Structures are given as C-alpha cells and as structure tokens.
Amino acid sequence: MDLKKYVRDIPDFPIPGILFRDITTVLKDSVALAGAVDAMIDLLGDLEFDIILGPESRGFIFGMPMAYKLRRGFVPVRKAGKLPSEVARREYALEYGSAVIEIHKDAIIPGKKYIIADDLLATGGTAKATADLITEMGGDVVSMLFFIELAELKGREVLDGYDVRSVLVY
C-alpha cells in the first residue's frame, strides 16, 4: 500500500518555510489507517518487547492499536501536568521551543523491554527524552518506531545508538 499518497502536504504551517506532513488524511481513511498501523507492526519484525510507549498525542494514535493487536501493555507519555500520580519528567528541545514530558513512575518496570511508537521523527527531541526517562527508570529501549521520518531534520542522529525504524521517509 502506498501510504505516502494519503499524507497531505501543507506548506507554510505552522510558520512560513515549513512543509507540514499532515496525517489526518491517513487517519480518516479506514484502509489507510489500518495500513499505517499494520506497517508499524511489520517494522517490529521479530523484536522481543513487553510494552509500547506512545508520546502525546499522536503516539497514542499509533501505539494503542499496536499494543491492542499485539496484546501488549501501553504507557502514555504525557505533557506536563496531565498525569494524576507520581511522575518522572524531562524537558527537551522542540523545533520551535521546548517542552516537558512525564511518565508515571510506576509505569516503567526495571528490566522490561520497551518500544517507543510515534507518528513523526523530526529533530528527535521527544523520542530522546522518552528514551532517557525509560533508561533512567531501569527499562530497556528496544526500538523506536515512527510512521513518518523527516530525514532532513536529522533526528536519527540525535537517536544514535538506538534502533530506529520508520514507515515513510521524506
């Protein structure tokens, strides 16, 4: 399935000079959505892992159906202030500023193997911050899966040393 034909390009969003890869056109089409989730699952190959993490909010879109289909647990990685229990947190750089992510402290089990699933690899900041938190809490990051990778932003370089897999590369 040619999933690139479902991704809409929006020039000059959110600021002039940026070409935004819009996945809402993938999500609204049942065949494309199923194809995208299945393609991400296929990227896993024979990797052994216990739990999938998905960064807010589009990591939820891909991570949850993957976890459901593979009968694995899912851990949400949230923006600051969204989780009700004790959290571990990390500040990181974005393309246009900075942000903070949080994970419940009891969500990461030392010795367990984790997959990070997200919609987009751009600069790598979110994935790196998530991986750092998992590692600090005793978990093992087995792989990072992305629906889209924007190669020109060199996020893969930030994630050097991690197994990084992408369905679509622009």
Side-chain angles (χ1 to χ4, degrees), residues 150-168:
L150 303 177
E152 67 187 33
L153 296 180
K154 303 186 186 316
R156 197 173 274 267
E157 292 177 12
V158 171
L159 303 176
D160 187 43
Y162 290 102
D163 178 62
V164 177
R165 302 173 185 201
S166 303
V167 174
L168 303 177

Side-chain angles (χ1 to χ4, degrees), residues 7-137:
V7 177
R8 176 173 44 194
D9 293 343
I10 301 177
D12 299 320
F13 183 84
I15 60 174
I18 300 294
L19 178 61
F20 187 83
R21 306 291 183 172
D22 181 20
I23 64 164
T24 62
T25 46
V26 174
L27 303 177
K28 74 177 183 178
D29 185 287
S30 63
V31 174
L33 175 58
V37 172
D38 289 345
M40 289 186 74
I41 289 171
D42 289 347
L43 286 179
L44 290 169
D46 60 357
L47 288 176
E48 292 185 24
F49 68 96
D50 302 297
I51 297 173
I52 296 174
L53 282 94
E56 186 169 340
S57 66
R58 292 172 299 195
F60 299 1
I61 292 170
F62 292 104
M64 272 299 303
M66 291 173 63
Y68 173 79
K69 195 167 187 178
L70 296 170
R71 299 297 191 249
R72 299 294 202 287
F74 177 80
V75 172
V77 180
R78 301 293 314 262
K79 294 175 183 172
K82 300 288 186 177
L83 292 171
S85 190
E86 190 176 1
V87 298
R89 61 187 290 136
R90 171 73 62 151
E91 185 171 350
Y92 64 100
L94 293 169
E95 296 92 330
Y96 323 109
S98 67
V100 175
I101 57 166
E102 296 179 338
I103 300 173
H104 274 143
K105 283 190 175 179
D106 63 358
I108 304 301
I109 302 163
K112 292 286 184 181
K113 296 179 179 183
Y114 295 87
I115 298 288
I116 298 169
D118 208 352
D119 70 318
L120 180 70
L121 173 56
T123 62
T126 304
K128 179 75 166 85
T130 301
D132 288 348
L133 277 175
I134 294 167
T135 302
E136 286 172 13
M137 297 165 72

